[in-house]
Amino acid sequence: MRKKLGSRRIILKAPWEIEKLRAANQIVADILSELRGLVKEGVTTAELDRIAVERINQRGAKPAFKGYHGYPACTCISINEEIVHGIPSDKRFINKGDLVSIDLGVILDGYYGDAAFSCFAGEAPTEHAERLVRVTKEALYSGIRKAKAKNRLGDISCAVQNVAESHGFGVVRKFVGHGVGRALHEPPEVPNFGVRGTGPILKKGMVIAIEPMLTMGSFDVEIMEDGWTAVTADRALAAHFEHTIAITHKGPDILSKGFI
Ligand code: MF3
Ligand code: CO
């Protein structure tokens, strides 16, 4: 999401609510897993979106993004220098070697699921591009490992930033992760940069989406004329991974498990 949640209270979820959130996130994970197999040269981003819509309906869920602040589609599909919020289009064909990021959200029984991944259509064009995608995923998992009761939110942010910057990649500031529950975006904001030992104390029952966006260059962002598509200001490649996770007495529980 775009930074803006402010400091409203973090809503803790009961175990039964975490199971509702898991059900929604499992639908997201299953659909993303299928879409990942369909990212190929010659496919349009609108075709991928239509498949997502069909699967969401089959599972008795509803798309979470469509209509969100006027967003026109069910998925966000962002290619190469596009970071997030790319709008699927019948005119947008995936080319060989493209870095494709797909973000999907659903609502099931009033609870939200939200997750995303990046991959290549065929082989990565360069070793550097391959590393960008690998490190973005690594940064996500490094953040997830810090999502434990009694840690602080800044521990997650700091871990993500450290992985990214130790490999020389930029961390996008303009968009952040977020709480997930009966709304797509709840407090707290989960930045991908920050200072260890700062921010709210993490508690059992918190559910958050951690979603690092890394770039091969600077972290400055521009929004295209469609009002949505966020691209790197220097047009360098960007990658995005996202999991929704619950903080439990046993540590982080990945609710959108299984697709990355
Ligand atoms: N995962 C993204 C986010 O949390 C997706 C939002 S797309 C929108 O911001 F269309 F719903 F805005
Ligand atoms: Co999100």
Side-chain angles (χ1 to χ4, degrees):
M1 63 154 288
R2 199 115 159 203
K3 270 183 121 291
K4 69 161 169 36
L5 291 171
S7 56
R8 281 150 50 223
R9 288 184 79 86
I10 300 171
I11 304 164
L12 300 180
K13 275 80 184 180
W16 67 269
E17 291 184 287
I18 292 178
E19 294 318 308
K20 296 264 189 199
L21 287 160
R22 192 191 312 281
N25 277 284
Q26 271 311 300
I27 293 173
V28 171
D30 291 347
I31 298 173
L32 287 181
S33 176
E34 180 178 356
L35 293 179
R36 196 171 194 208
L38 299 172
V39 171
K40 287 193 179 94
E41 179 184 11
V43 176
T44 68
T45 54
E47 283 173 68
L48 297 175
D49 191 76
R50 280 194 289 273
I51 291 162
V53 172
E54 201 178 309
R55 295 292 179 261
I56 292 169
N57 291 334
Q58 284 168 345
R59 300 283 290 261
K62 293 214 156 46
F65 297 170
K66 200 177 174 104
Y68 185 89
H69 293 280
Y71 186 74
C74 290
T75 57
C76 300
I77 307 186
S78 313
I79 302 180
N80 296 332
E81 74 282 2
E82 298 170 355
I83 309 164
V84 286
H85 304 166
I87 302 173
S89 159
D90 280 311
K91 298 195 191 90
R92 190 68 192 267
F93 289 84
I94 292 173
N95 295 313
K96 210 162 126 190
D98 275 350
L99 196 176
V100 180
S101 302
I102 306 185
D103 191 344
L104 174 66
V106 308
I107 316 166
L108 183 72
D109 211 1
Y111 288 83
Y112 281 74
D114 187 13
F117 70 92
S118 295
C119 68
F120 293 99
E123 290 203 353
T126 64
E127 167 63 25
H128 196 194
E130 196 277 326
R131 205 176 323 130
L132 174 70
V133 169
R134 184 161 34 84
V135 169
T136 307
K137 184 157 96 175
E138 243 175 71
L140 168 60
Y141 281 103
S142 160
I144 291 173
R145 281 195 293 277
K146 300 288 181 191
K148 296 193 294 196
K150 301 195 175 76
N151 275 0
R152 289 188 181 255
L153 193 67
D155 300 342
I156 297 175
S157 305
C158 181
V160 170
Q161 182 175 18
N162 280 344
V163 171
E165 291 180 352
S166 68
H167 287 85
F169 295 124
V171 172
V172 171
R173 303 322 202 236
K174 183 167 178 154
F175 301 100
V176 293
H178 49 92
V180 179
R182 297 182 67 89
L184 176 61
H185 295 144
E186 284 183 0
E189 288 181 353
V190 183
N192 298 300
F193 56 96
V195 179
R196 199 153 40 93
T198 66
I201 295 171
L202 302 176
K203 295 197 175 94
K204 179 165 113 36
M206 287 183 182
V207 175
I208 54 174
I210 305 176
E211 48 179 319
M213 288 146 266
L214 269 54
T215 76
M216 259 195 194
S218 99
F219 56 74
D220 289 329
V221 171
E222 258 176 47
I223 307 294
M224 302 305 278
E225 309 77 74
D226 61 18
W228 281 100
T229 312
V231 301
T232 51
D234 58 7
R235 303 301 190 266
L237 289 181
H240 177 213
F241 281 87
E242 175 176 22
H243 263 315
T244 296
I245 65 116
I247 294 164
T248 72
H249 67 283
K250 288 189 222 143
D253 183 355
I254 302 177
L255 302 180
S256 48
K257 204 176 187 139
F259 71 100
I260 48 168

